Amino acid sequence: MTISNLQNGHSNQNINEPAFSAIQKNKPTFHIWRIENFQLISIPKDSYGTFFKGDTYLIYHCTEIQKTLYQHIHIWIGSESSIDEQGVAAYKMVELDEFLGSSPVQHRECQSYESEKFLSYFKQKGGLKYQNGGVQSGFHHYEKNFEPRLFQVKGKRNIRLNELASIEWTSMNRNDSFLIDLSATVFVWNGKLSNKMEKLQALNKARMLRDERNGECNIVIVEDGEEKDLSKDELKLFESKFPLKEKLSKLRNDVSNQDDLKFEKDSYSYLKLYKCSDALDDGDGMVKIKIIEQKTGPLYKEDLNSDDSYIVDNGKHGIWVWIGKKSSQKERQEAMRNALGFLQAKGYNEKQQNAIKVTRVIDESEPFEFKALFNRWSELNESKGFGRTFSNNLIAKTLQTKFDASILHSNHQIAAESQMVDDGKGYKQIWFVSNFDIHQLEPSKYSEFHTGDCYIIHYKYKLDNTEKHILYYWIGKKSTLDEQGTVALKVIELDNEICSGQAMQVRIVEGKEPIHFMSMFDGRIIIYKGGRASGFKNMNNSDDVQLAENYMLQIKSYGSSNIKAIQVDCNASNLNSNDVFIICHNLSVFYIWCGKSSTGDEREAAKSIVLSAKKEPEIIIESQERAEFWNILGGKTEYHKVKRSVNTNQATFTRLFEISNSSGRINVNEIYQFTQNDLNTNDVMLLDAWDNIFLWIGLNSNKTEKEESEKIAIEYLKSDPSQRPNDLPIYKIKQGFEPPIFTGYFGPWDFSYWNNKNDVDYNLIKQELQSKNQPQLFQLAIKEKSLNGIKTRDAIDFNKYPKYSYEQLIKPVDELPENVSTESKEVHLTEEDFVKIFKISYQQFKEKPLWKQKELKRSVRLF
């Protein structure tokens, strides 16, 4: 793949952009500039969040988290902005980047397709607001004369308020909510298929408009199909813009315009790495950028070379340009343009190109969203990081010292990092699944599991004299689908029966046991082969939970409080110099074989397991085996002797997502800089803590989301581009019963937050807003508009002006006839000439918004 770019001889060594003088380097700040006449013009802070469709903007956002600065530069491109403005914005982005030391992350944002990070900047403003017009149309941020406007409300969490070009039924549809702003009255019209959050956000926007007008504004909520229920005055005012007789023929039932946004690769797991290189072609002045495919996912940090630049293609979910720290200044400057050329070369149409997020990142300044695409991203010098990185080994050692569970509940961050709710010494009861039911396990077998079985562990502990419950369900790797289905159902039943529906439910797959689970068994468990003959698959088989006379356990240590003894085939080829093994012969003789690279923790764990069986083991050190030992294992043979490498610190991240399968497929939207407030009671939320997945079940989440949440979490892991294991522990937590291992990720946590906050009730808010309406404002609005005579008066006004030819009206101002109004030259056309020039009647022209009238006049040289 080859991309051509013109050489740019400009040097940015000396940047003298006055707009940047307001930036305090290395300080948290937020600036927005608009491109006006090829210059950067600062936008007033009270206008942040309002973007004009005809304009292009430059945005700089810098935050400080744990003494680390995170810098992001965005260009925002309006759907009606000019190519010239877009070019200036791209050029100024490069200048700003160099002014800030070339370390910020760069983003390209297109109207209606903004990234979640960009949208998060305007959360406190109530979301984005798109307004018609722009600098080139003569439209500015403040207009003296009010013009009626129609806005479409889009989005569930981050709202986009989009001003539409015309106020009529054809602009609306039944899928969304709309605001009709008539100054003294604001109508909220909700389509039959609009979602609850859009309706609530539309009400919130209407409330904000009334507050801006000091309460001198009525709010009328209109439900699709209930327009005739409006009062006489309300209906008269509504029909001045939306005659009910036109609704059936003009209102669109469906606004699904996504056919041209379908991508060949739809999966989030689609991932490809390309290497970029450039060379000057023979004398044509063009730089040929060669894009060479390197590999498909999974990706590793080691795939990136600091001497080069790369493109990471995540399909429709975005492309990333990575610039190595030893790459040339030219590569840094041209990165975003090369990325756009890459999209064009892939054959995407213009709308698809706008929808794909384009981000440039610099070597050693990568944001966590980029790192999360990689299966392994090692941080050799973890002096600064994203999210939390910690070692279970270190935690285990810490927990071996005097343990004070109250610390975990007073310091939620420590609880989140340690993943401990207490020291594991609480009450526990265990059941195993057999024949589609659960049966209690003998307490003497509590630390023993079989890979062919599923188990439920009920753990109970006290916090501030209040009982707390955890229901772990452990899934053996060789268990049947029937058993796995049974254990999932039985957990729900037990939660309701013995925990009053308040338990935290934790799904654990064999081999991925979390640290608190291990602590319940003093940090040591045994996993045997086989299992009970349960489920349709094994109905004709007999139980095989009895141990063979000869068996072998491999002891694997993940720290002193996380040791597992796993049964393997009893032969010499399974030995490993890195581990300790227990070999049982005839159920009476026990050997402990210690590999040269094994740890003291593993050796001690092996001894305690054998001693618990009231047997005295014989210790054998690797390379000192007797022939008798090899005979028990079927003869001496080769086995693994290479020392296991020690992993460098793996960067891990904590991320919050809103998950939904309402469209029939999983949609995941990330929430940045999240707090407790971002947990929406109407949703199921997914907290990705890298080694664990938490599902937070909102009180008002729908039945399907509750029932399908675990499947969604598993699908989320399967679609993760980093290709992490799919069998990570999944914690299911209900609203109001959050443990410290969850709340610690959210900063300050208020346990009374949802008690003090009444559940959002749409009908109550609707009644409250309309109760403050003032009847006299309806009368005033109707009187001012003279609804029955507008068209007639407009026609009279047009005909009273003297008429001239089009050729006479486009002459310079000093050559115009004396009685021509320079501000309204169009009224001096004859009716026939007006239609010929503007392609519409004068009445249709007057019904358009003021900004559109100006653009039409400009297009025919009458402005």
Side-chain angles (χ1 to χ4, degrees):
M1 186 184 297
T2 303
I3 303 166
S4 297
N5 277 327
L6 284 171
Q7 286 272 30
N8 185 347
H10 179 81
S11 172
N12 288 314
Q13 295 300 316
N14 297 307
I15 300 171
N16 296 311
E17 172 56 60
F20 300 158
S21 62
I23 298 175
Q24 285 185 289
K25 290 185 180 180
N26 302 320
K27 297 285 185 182
T29 188
F30 189 25
H31 291 276
I32 301 180
W33 300 272
R34 182 165 72 160
I35 309 299
E36 297 185 14
N37 299 319
F38 303 99
Q39 301 294 320
L40 287 180
I41 305 299
S42 182
I43 298 300
K45 290 193 180 296
D46 58 2
S47 294
Y48 282 13
T50 297
F51 292 88
F52 287 82
K53 298 178 184 179
D55 289 333
T56 303
Y57 296 78
L58 180 68
I59 299 96
Y60 172 56
H61 187 269
C62 177
T63 55
E64 183 177 1
I65 302 174
Q66 296 179 350
K67 298 183 179 180
T68 299
L69 286 178
Y70 299 92
Q71 298 172 300
H72 294 266
I73 303 173
H74 306 253
I75 53 172
W76 185 90
I77 300 169
S79 60
E80 299 170 10
S81 63
S82 69
I83 298 297
D84 289 339
E85 288 178 330
Q86 295 175 30
V88 172
Y91 177 75
K92 291 297 180 184
M93 172 186 270
V94 173
E95 282 194 346
L96 178 56
D97 180 67
E98 295 191 0
F99 176 78
L100 295 166
S102 298
S103 61
V105 179
Q106 295 181 8
H107 307 260
R108 172 178 174 265
E109 311 284 352
C110 294
Q111 180 188 324
S112 300
Y113 302 107
E114 295 86 358
S115 64
E116 293 298 321
K117 175 174 285 294
F118 184 80
L119 294 172
S120 71
Y121 300 158
F122 306 99
K123 191 183 293 185
Q124 299 304 318
K125 287 277 187 177
L128 295 185
K129 183 179 181 182
Y130 307 138
Q131 287 198 200
N132 292 320
V135 172
Q136 295 302 317
S137 64
F139 196 89
H140 296 282
H141 287 270
Y142 302 100
E143 293 259 326
K144 291 182 180 179
N145 298 321
F146 177 85
E147 289 289 329
R149 291 172 182 168
L150 174 64
F151 292 95
Q152 181 183 29
V153 181
K154 288 290 288 183
K156 189 174 181 181
R157 180 176 296 275
N158 291 310
I159 295 299
R160 295 175 173 92
L161 197 63
N162 181 28
E163 184 180 357
L164 302 175
S166 58
I167 306 177
E168 53 188 334
W169 282 114
T170 54
S171 299
M172 308 223 287
N173 65 79
R174 288 199 155 99
N175 288 11
D176 299 314
S177 294
F178 296 82
L179 282 182
I180 305 147
D181 185 3
L182 303 180
S183 186
T185 300
V186 173
F187 286 96
V188 176
W189 186 87
N190 296 311
K192 281 185 178 178
L193 303 178
S194 59
N195 67 57
K196 180 180 178 181
M197 286 304 296
E198 283 178 344
K199 291 180 180 181
L200 289 168
Q201 291 290 355
L203 296 186
N204 185 46
K205 288 291 182 183
R207 188 202 302 269
M208 290 171 65
L209 287 173
R210 178 155 68 187
D211 292 343
E212 288 173 6
R213 294 163 193 174
N214 299 318
E216 295 299 309
C217 172
N218 287 341
I219 297 174
V220 181
I221 295 94
V222 188
E223 304 298 337
D224 186 2
E226 299 177 11
E227 292 87 357
K228 290 184 178 180
D229 294 339
L230 296 172
S231 70
K232 182 180 178 181
D233 288 340
E234 291 170 348
L235 183 59
K236 194 172 186 180
L237 199 55
F238 183 80
E239 284 204 286
S240 71
K241 297 296 180 185
F242 299 94
L244 292 184
K245 63 182 180 181
E246 297 178 3
K247 179 182 177 182
L248 193 60
S249 60
K250 293 186 176 182
L251 179 66
R252 290 177 293 162
N253 286 318
D254 184 23
V255 72
S256 180
N257 251 346
Q258 300 299 314
D259 290 342
D260 54 350
L261 282 179
K262 287 183 178 177
F263 293 81
E264 180 183 357
K265 299 293 183 182
D266 194 45
S267 172
Y268 190 69
S269 60
Y270 171 80
L271 203 62
K272 281 189 178 182
L273 180 68
Y274 296 84
K275 182 179 176 181
C276 305
S277 63
D278 61 78
L280 188 63
D281 201 10
D282 296 336
D284 64 355
M286 303 291 286
V287 174
K288 303 294 184 181
I289 307 296
K290 292 184 178 179
I291 307 294
I292 305 165
E293 183 176 335
Q294 299 292 292
K295 62 180 294 192
T296 57
L299 302 184
Y300 305 93
K301 184 182 181 182
E302 293 78 11
D303 294 327
L304 305 175
N305 188 323
S306 294
D307 293 325
D308 299 308
S309 59
Y310 297 84
I311 289 176
V312 177
D313 181 8
N314 194 201
K316 73 170 188 177
H317 303 283
I319 67 169
W320 301 76
V321 185
W322 184 87
I323 306 297
K325 59 186 176 184
K326 296 179 183 177
S327 59
S328 67
Q329 184 183 33
K330 186 72 177 174
E331 285 178 306
R332 291 170 183 258
Q333 293 175 349
E334 297 291 337
M336 293 297 281
R337 183 153 50 176
N338 291 342
L340 297 179
F342 174 79
L343 292 179
Q344 293 169 3
K346 289 198 71 174
Y348 291 131
N349 62 39
E350 183 179 357
K351 201 163 188 179
Q352 287 174 324
Q353 291 176 41
N354 289 341
I356 294 174
K357 313 296 183 295
V358 178
T359 311
R360 187 216 71 172
V361 300
I362 298 293
D363 188 1
E364 295 188 352
S365 295
E366 300 90 350
F368 70 84
E369 303 97 317
F370 178 78
K371 293 180 181 181
L373 295 173
F374 289 72
N375 182 278
R376 182 175 65 244
W377 189 278
S378 302
E379 302 283 13
L380 293 174
N381 298 306
E382 195 69 23
S383 58
K384 67 175 186 177
F386 300 83
R388 296 175 173 84
T389 65
F390 56 93
S391 164
N392 277 345
N393 294 355
L394 294 176
I395 292 164
K397 289 176 182 175
T398 301
L399 295 178
Q400 271 194 314
T401 62
K402 187 177 180 180
F403 189 94
D404 184 357
S406 65
I407 293 175
L408 297 177
H409 297 278
S410 61
N411 190 326
H412 291 198
Q413 184 172 341
I414 291 177
E417 290 184 352
S418 68
Q419 288 299 292
M420 295 288 287
V421 296
D422 71 350
D423 58 3
K425 304 298 183 185
Y427 166 86
K428 61 180 175 285
Q429 188 176 9
I430 303 179
W431 297 263
F432 62 88
V433 173
S434 181
N435 296 320
F436 304 97
D437 205 350
I438 55 174
H439 308 271
Q440 288 196 29
L441 188 68
E442 296 175 28
S444 62
K445 303 286 186 182
Y446 268 11
S447 61
E448 299 176 9
F449 298 85
H450 288 263
T451 190
D453 287 335
C454 293
Y455 299 82
I456 297 175
I457 301 94
H458 173 219
Y459 184 76
K460 185 165 58 175
Y461 65 101
K462 282 196 172 184
L463 172 64
D464 296 332
N465 293 320
T466 302
E467 271 193 353
K468 299 290 183 180
H469 303 269
I470 303 176
L471 285 171
Y472 290 101
Y473 53 114
W474 187 93
I475 298 172
K477 287 182 178 178
K478 299 292 181 66
S479 61
T480 66
L481 291 175
D482 307 312
E483 290 170 321
Q484 294 172 26
T486 299
V487 75
L489 290 172
K490 293 299 179 181
V491 161
I492 296 172
E493 288 181 12
L494 285 176
D495 187 11
N496 292 326
E497 289 173 8
I498 64 177
C499 306
S500 303
Q502 300 177 8
M504 174 171 68
Q505 299 173 18
V506 187
R507 176 184 183 270
I508 298 172
V509 175
E510 176 190 335
K512 300 294 180 180
E513 294 81 6
I515 192 69
H516 184 261
F517 180 91
M518 295 299 297
S519 73
M520 294 189 300
F521 307 100
D522 295 322
R524 297 165 190 180
I525 62 172
I526 304 172
I527 302 174
Y528 292 112
K529 287 186 168 187
R532 296 162 181 82
S534 180
F536 292 114
K537 183 179 177 181
N538 298 324
M539 284 192 94
N540 296 321
N541 298 338
S542 61
D543 285 357
D544 57 347
V545 296
Q546 297 298 320
L547 287 171
E549 289 187 350
N550 299 329
Y551 64 88
M552 185 161 78
L553 298 175
Q554 183 176 12
I555 312 299
K556 296 185 71 67
S557 172
Y558 305 91
S560 59
S561 295
N562 190 354
I563 298 173
K564 297 164 189 172
I566 302 168
Q567 186 178 358
V568 295
D569 288 340
C570 194
N571 59 66
S573 63
N574 282 326
L575 294 175
N576 189 316
S577 295
N578 296 282
D579 297 317
V580 172
F581 290 78
I582 298 173
I583 297 95
C584 175
H585 180 57
N586 291 332
L587 292 178
S588 58
V589 180
F590 286 84
Y591 299 93
I592 294 178
W593 182 90
C594 303
K596 288 182 178 179
S597 300
S598 62
T599 67
D601 289 336
E602 290 173 331
R603 292 190 286 272
E604 290 301 316
K607 289 179 185 177
S608 68
I609 290 172
V610 176
L611 291 173
S612 66
K614 298 181 180 180
K615 301 291 183 180
E616 190 67 35
E618 179 180 339
I619 308 298
I620 298 176
I621 305 300
E622 183 180 6
S623 77
Q624 298 179 16
E625 302 88 351
R626 301 191 308 273
E628 177 189 351
F629 175 80
W630 292 120
N631 290 335
I632 291 172
L633 295 181
K636 186 175 181 179
T637 186
E638 289 297 315
Y639 58 86
H640 187 84
K641 296 180 180 180
V642 179
K643 187 173 182 178
R644 191 176 291 140
S645 61
V646 179
N647 292 331
T648 56
N649 288 335
Q650 166 68 33
T652 62
F653 324 101
T654 306
R655 307 171 73 179
L656 182 67
F657 297 88
E658 183 177 58
I659 56 177
S660 169
N661 63 343
S662 57
S663 62
R665 59 183 181 183
I666 296 171
N667 292 313
V668 181
N669 292 315
E670 184 164 4
I671 298 163
Y672 290 88
Q673 298 178 15
F674 57 84
T675 64
Q676 181 183 2
N677 300 357
D678 291 301
L679 295 173
N680 191 330
T681 60
N682 298 300
D683 289 322
V684 172
M685 313 293 291
L686 185 150
L687 182 74
D688 181 355
W690 192 260
D691 293 316
N692 304 290
I693 299 294
F694 294 90
L695 289 167
W696 183 86
I697 313 298
L699 194 63
N700 301 319
S701 55
N702 64 52
K703 183 180 178 182
T704 301
E705 286 176 333
K706 290 177 181 177
E707 293 175 348
E708 299 293 318
S709 59
E710 185 178 307
K711 291 180 183 177
I712 293 173
I714 294 170
E715 286 301 316
Y716 165 78
L717 283 171
K718 286 181 179 178
S719 67
D720 183 359
S722 73
Q723 297 193 20
R724 274 179 290 167
N726 298 333
D727 52 4
L728 296 179
I730 297 173
Y731 293 73
K732 196 182 295 184
I733 297 169
K734 299 181 183 68
Q735 178 189 331
F737 301 97
E738 299 83 0
I741 59 171
F742 176 79
T743 61
Y745 291 110
F746 290 82
W749 185 273
D750 180 4
F751 282 99
S752 63
Y753 177 73
W754 287 292
N755 295 336
N756 298 331
K757 184 178 179 181
N758 292 327
D759 182 37
V760 177
D761 188 303
Y762 171 75
N763 289 320
L764 286 177
I765 296 176
K766 179 177 172 180
Q767 293 171 13
E768 184 262 327
L769 288 177
Q770 295 189 132
S771 68
K772 297 180 180 179
N773 285 347
Q774 305 173 53
Q776 69 273 17
L777 290 179
F778 290 124
Q779 295 292 334
L780 183 63
I782 293 170
K783 183 178 180 181
E784 286 179 350
K785 291 187 175 297
S786 303
L787 296 176
N788 295 324
I790 288 177
K791 294 184 179 180
T792 305
R793 189 177 68 249
D794 283 342
I796 295 171
D797 289 345
F798 178 73
N799 292 327
K800 77 176 183 180
Y801 289 99
K803 305 300 178 183
Y804 297 96
S805 68
Y806 174 69
E807 290 72 20
Q808 287 177 292
L809 293 172
I810 60 175
K811 288 181 178 181
V813 176
D814 57 352
E815 296 181 25
L816 289 173
E818 290 184 5
N819 56 358
V820 167
S821 169
T822 57
E823 297 293 323
S824 304
K825 289 189 279 186
E826 72 279 1
V827 298
H828 296 284
L829 290 168
T830 64
E831 191 171 342
E832 183 180 352
D833 284 344
F834 191 96
V835 173
K836 182 179 178 181
I837 301 300
F838 285 93
K839 310 301 182 187
I840 55 175
S841 68
Y842 179 73
Q843 180 57 46
Q844 290 172 317
F845 173 82
K846 289 294 289 181
E847 289 175 354
K848 294 191 176 297
L850 187 59
W851 70 270
K852 189 64 176 178
Q853 293 179 26
K854 290 178 180 178
E855 285 195 347
L856 288 171
K857 290 195 290 183
R858 187 186 296 279
S859 68
V860 296
R861 300 164 61 193
L862 288 174
F863 184 72

